[in-house]
Amino acid sequence: MNIISKSLIFLSALFFFVQSSNAQRMTKVAEKKYKMAIQYAEESNNVKAISILQDLYKSYPDNINVTYNLGLCYMNMSGNPDSALYFLNKTLKLDGEEWTEDKLELMIAIAHVKQLKYDYDGALKTYNQIERHDKNQTWKELIEHERFVCDNAKIMMNNPVRLQVQRLGNNINSEDNDYRPLISDDMKTLIFTSRRENKVRTRFQDGQNEECTYISTRPTLADDWGEAEEIRNLFEDKGQTTATCLRDSDLYLVRDGDIYVSKLDTNGVWQRATKLEAPINSSAEERFAYVTADGNELFFSSDRKGGFGGFDIYHSFRLPNGKWGVPTNMGDVINTPNDEDAPVKHPTKNVLYFSSNGHNTMGGFDIFYTIESQTDSTYEAVQNIGYPINTPDDDLFFVPTSVKDMGYYASVKWDNTDDVFTGYDIYEVEYDEPEINRLVILSGLVKSNDIGSINITADSDGEPLGRYLPNGETGKFVIVGEEGRTYHISATNGKETNSIDITTEVGDSYYKTGKTIEIKAFEFAYEEEEPEVQTQTENSSTGYTIQIFSLRKPLDKANVRGIDTDKIHEHVYADGWYVYSYGQFNTPHEAKPTKDMIVEKTPYADSFIRNNEQYKKFEKKAEDQ
């Protein structure tokens, strides 16, 4: 909120000016206390600033400096708009009738607090007043933006999202800021960032403690969260640490503008975090990272050069060698000249969630989402997730769960009326969902010496449910289905296929039971494959090609980028999928340079070399076409 810092700088200089006009005069001792309060306020330690200013207010209730700064400090604290408006309105009465630049700035603060109180009509009236008296048009750009925000907010409040919100209990939330929740796939482990008081941590001048990473667990979904404990020894020293993504046995963290990852060992202890290599980390600041459920995509925010302004969201694919590819900016559909942050992709849907203060917000940061196209991996127009998840204040770090239409996020709103709880708290949100649509979680394991070659598919009554990849290190995979249905699940390495049928019963809903349905382990032979010597010509039905992607609908070649579309070949699978390969080669060695070029220089970074014979077992037979 730029107007806040600007107002405080102005007021610290105004002190001596007002003393000679219409403000109550202070003693020298009081002046010294006042200056100390301003210093605390400029350091964002609003708690200490308010304590001093409230003490001064008892003796000097009509001092314009005291009332104005009390109003601004309460505005900065979040959750205190009534107190802020009281002192700002009193300042307005003390200020007189003349419309000076100082009064315009006071009115800007009043309008903003009205927005925090959801009084958008009142805020719009105040902005209209300011515009009429702003002869130098100092606030023109801000007024236009805030009018847009107010109009958005009124529309959203008239069309609220139906949901249930629950503030997590005192074992999770503290008197200080608690935010960035991370939830495990089984929803029994919660990791989050907190600035709660800690004897071994530093307390800063602004009154806040260092950021630390905490963990809490619960035996079942029906149980309360256990008392949160700090995850220690992630780094050699005790500097600030904030976790951003929990993915199986990997915990991604951000520290000093760089992204790190910590591994969970077999004893359940998080190991020392290691920094991700370039080009993910850069000389700029990276402040959030999220890896998708299949472990193949990384989203993060950065203010590196070449963006659209502020922090932008970037996207990287994991290469066949396990490293991350060159990240790309996600473009102006998602990124704006303002800040975008906290990107998280839904574990079972093609939906990307993120926070922004540059799209059609209700004020501050709002949570937005965009849907990934099934045909070309582009993202559709951004949508605000809606009120009451979003509010006039900052709403950040939304994390969806595998269970349909549930999530966790941090906010400074709702019923923070208890004096014990201030700042950000963590909430659980659940949308209305028909009982028939309750979901089950099927979990399984692949045992193979080449897990990366395993492709898992699932269908029900001939209807494809999706394709899944096991975790590259553990072999674990998760499939989300519905209760009361039979699923045919297959795992193949291109040569050998293992299958199983699983029937889920009504009442198996993971939301009801808190249990996953375990699938038997798919085991594949461990012997090394003998290298093939091939001499086929380029036009032979055997030989090698490069598989570039698979789609649910036929490919529109107009959407293909970076490769010659005349060399693309379509394979129509019996399960309805369209699989596309590129080029023909006599040997894998001959195909490798082209594959490397596609991985490094095109959007198809998960491409791999494949024998043409491997397509025959999956393709739809001619008589069926």
Side-chain angles (χ1 to χ4, degrees):
M1 312 253 180
N2 292 333
I3 63 167
I4 298 174
S5 59
K6 181 178 178 182
S7 297
L8 288 171
I9 292 170
F10 155 70
L11 276 178
S12 63
L14 180 67
F15 172 77
F16 298 103
F17 169 77
V18 175
Q19 281 284 47
S20 62
S21 58
N22 63 337
Q24 278 182 295
R25 298 190 64 85
M26 293 184 184
T27 65
K28 290 185 178 181
V29 173
E31 289 179 9
K32 187 175 181 179
K33 287 184 178 180
Y34 174 78
K35 290 180 181 179
M36 186 182 299
I38 293 299
Q39 182 176 346
Y40 280 128
E42 289 176 340
E43 294 170 352
S44 298
N45 191 342
N46 294 297
V47 174
K48 284 191 175 181
I50 288 173
S51 177
I52 296 172
L53 291 170
Q54 282 282 19
D55 188 55
L56 290 172
Y57 181 74
K58 295 176 183 177
S59 301
Y60 305 98
D62 293 329
N63 184 286
I64 193 171
N65 295 310
V66 172
T67 58
Y68 196 1
N69 278 283
L70 271 170
L72 292 174
C73 288
Y74 277 117
M75 180 173 69
N76 267 338
M77 283 184 63
S78 298
N80 297 275
D82 291 318
S83 297
L85 192 60
Y86 173 84
F87 288 107
L88 292 176
N89 278 333
K90 182 161 186 178
T91 304
L92 182 62
K93 293 179 181 179
L94 296 171
D95 192 44
E97 299 296 328
E98 185 179 357
W99 280 85
T100 62
E101 290 296 319
D102 301 340
K103 184 171 183 176
L104 287 172
E105 189 166 351
L106 167 62
M107 295 298 288
I108 287 290
I110 290 175
H112 177 69
V113 173
K114 288 181 178 180
Q115 289 174 247
L116 295 178
K117 286 175 58 64
Y118 298 87
D119 181 11
Y120 293 103
D121 288 330
L124 288 169
K125 289 180 181 178
T126 303
Y127 285 128
N128 290 339
Q129 281 183 289
I130 297 167
E131 184 179 52
R132 289 197 300 270
H133 294 92
D134 186 16
K135 296 178 181 179
N136 297 326
Q137 296 190 329
T138 304
W139 302 99
K140 180 181 178 181
E141 185 177 347
L142 182 142
I143 290 172
E144 290 177 354
H145 177 264
E146 294 305 318
R147 280 175 172 160
F148 177 68
V149 168
C150 290
D151 290 338
N152 284 333
K154 290 173 67 176
I155 293 172
M156 292 177 206
M157 290 184 68
N158 287 332
N159 299 275
V161 177
R162 293 191 303 170
L163 48 76
Q164 295 179 4
V165 173
Q166 178 180 351
R167 177 186 171 280
L168 300 189
N170 299 354
N171 282 345
I172 303 298
N173 292 308
S174 67
E175 298 179 14
D176 297 289
N177 288 314
D178 305 286
Y179 47 94
R180 286 192 175 178
L182 313 176
I183 190 76
S184 62
D185 288 337
D186 62 6
M187 294 177 63
K188 295 177 184 177
T189 300
L190 178 71
I191 294 179
F192 62 98
T193 300
S194 178
R195 288 185 178 271
R196 65 190 59 192
E197 187 174 358
N198 188 321
K199 294 181 181 179
V200 299
R201 294 291 181 171
T202 302
R203 191 169 186 87
F204 299 120
Q205 288 184 331
D206 64 1
Q208 294 198 75
N209 303 294
E210 284 184 313
E211 288 183 319
C212 298
T213 300
Y214 285 77
I215 186 170
S216 175
T217 59
R218 58 183 176 183
T220 70
L221 297 187
D223 293 312
D224 294 331
W225 289 104
E227 185 174 354
E229 298 180 354
E230 182 185 356
I231 302 178
R232 298 183 177 177
N233 302 317
L234 292 170
F235 296 88
E236 289 186 11
D237 61 344
K238 297 179 180 179
Q240 295 197 88
T241 304
T242 178
T244 67
C245 177
L246 174 61
R247 181 59 58 228
D248 292 332
S249 58
D250 293 342
L251 179 63
Y252 289 83
L253 308 116
V254 171
R255 192 187 214 209
D256 298 330
D258 286 319
I259 300 168
Y260 293 76
V261 62
S262 170
K263 301 283 186 179
L264 187 68
D265 68 14
T266 55
N267 296 319
V269 178
W270 292 103
Q271 299 301 293
R272 288 284 170 82
T274 58
K275 185 190 295 188
L276 298 192
E277 300 176 354
I280 302 303
N281 285 315
S282 69
S283 57
E285 180 181 353
E286 284 72 49
R287 66 179 185 188
F288 194 92
Y290 183 83
V291 175
T292 53
D294 61 10
N296 290 327
E297 295 179 81
L298 169 67
F299 296 87
F300 64 97
S301 58
S302 174
D303 63 351
R304 61 186 63 191
K305 292 182 180 179
F308 292 88
F311 280 82
D312 282 1
I313 294 175
Y314 289 80
H315 184 207
S316 175
F317 288 97
R318 194 184 292 278
L319 304 178
N321 61 10
K323 295 184 178 181
W324 292 108
V326 176
T328 58
N329 187 295
M330 295 199 70
D332 59 1
V333 171
I334 291 175
N335 294 313
T336 71
N338 290 55
D339 290 330
E340 280 68 46
D341 200 2
V344 175
K345 195 170 185 180
H346 195 286
T348 61
K349 302 177 185 177
N350 292 320
V351 181
L352 179 70
Y353 296 88
F354 64 97
S355 294
S356 173
N357 59 7
H359 288 281
N360 57 321
T361 77
M362 290 183 65
F365 277 92
D366 273 11
I367 298 163
F368 295 85
Y369 69 93
T370 175
I371 300 173
E372 183 182 18
S373 170
Q374 293 284 328
T375 58
D376 59 6
S377 296
T378 59
Y379 283 85
E380 300 176 2
V382 168
Q383 299 184 56
N384 191 302
I385 200 171
Y387 170 84
I389 294 179
N390 286 324
T391 70
D393 220 311
D394 289 337
D395 304 288
L396 296 152
F397 313 127
F398 181 82
V399 180
T401 68
S402 297
V403 179
K404 186 178 180 181
D405 296 336
M406 286 190 67
Y408 291 80
Y409 75 114
S411 180
V412 294
K413 59 147 189 338
W414 300 103
D415 295 325
N416 281 358
T417 53
D418 190 334
D419 291 338
V420 174
F421 299 105
T422 59
Y424 283 99
D425 278 348
I426 297 174
Y427 295 83
E428 180 184 79
V429 58
E430 179 184 1
Y431 296 86
D432 284 348
E433 180 182 323
E435 186 69 25
I436 194 173
N437 207 24
R438 294 295 188 188
L439 302 185
V440 296
I441 297 179
L442 311 172
S443 61
L445 180 68
V446 168
K447 295 181 179 179
S448 171
N449 63 336
D450 186 15
I451 292 176
S453 70
I454 307 298
N455 185 27
I456 301 167
T457 58
D459 64 71
S460 178
D461 299 325
E463 177 184 345
L465 182 64
R467 293 171 181 266
Y468 306 87
L469 294 175
N471 180 281
E473 294 185 3
T474 65
K476 294 180 180 179
F477 64 90
V478 173
I479 296 173
V480 179
E482 295 180 10
E483 60 183 21
R485 298 187 67 174
T486 299
Y487 292 97
H488 179 72
I489 303 169
S490 296
T492 180
N493 60 2
K495 294 182 177 181
E496 180 185 357
T497 300
N498 292 327
S499 301
I500 189 173
D501 290 335
I502 294 289
T503 299
T504 62
E505 304 294 336
V506 174
D508 279 347
S509 163
Y510 181 77
Y511 181 70
K512 294 176 182 175
T513 66
K515 299 178 180 178
T516 60
I517 298 175
E518 300 294 332
I519 303 170
K520 74 169 186 178
F522 292 133
E523 298 190 30
F524 292 86
Y526 273 65
E527 63 269 17
E528 293 292 333
E529 180 181 357
E530 292 293 330
E532 296 183 63
V533 179
Q534 299 287 346
T535 58
Q536 290 82 2
T537 63
E538 183 170 317
N539 295 323
S540 172
S541 60
T542 57
Y544 293 85
T545 185
I546 301 167
Q547 183 164 315
I548 48 180
F549 45 70
S550 57
L551 303 171
R552 288 294 293 130
K553 298 178 182 179
L555 172 69
D556 181 354
K557 290 188 177 181
N559 294 323
V560 176
R561 293 170 288 168
I563 54 178
D564 184 356
T565 56
D566 291 335
K567 294 184 178 181
I568 296 177
H569 182 71
E570 180 181 84
H571 310 267
V572 182
Y573 277 20
D575 62 5
W577 283 81
Y578 295 81
V579 179
Y580 293 90
S581 62
Y582 182 83
Q584 291 293 324
F585 307 90
N586 290 325
T587 66
H589 180 74
E590 182 183 325
K592 187 176 186 301
T594 302
K595 187 266 293 182
D596 290 344
M597 179 277 294
I598 292 173
V599 168
E600 294 174 5
K601 297 183 178 181
T602 77
Y604 318 117
D606 55 352
S607 300
F608 59 93
I609 298 171
R610 195 170 189 184
N611 191 308
N612 284 315
E613 288 291 326
Q614 295 174 347
Y615 289 105
K616 292 184 179 180
K617 65 180 68 177
F618 302 111
E619 288 180 328
K620 184 183 293 185
K621 296 180 180 178
E623 59 267 24
D624 296 331
Q625 296 187 23

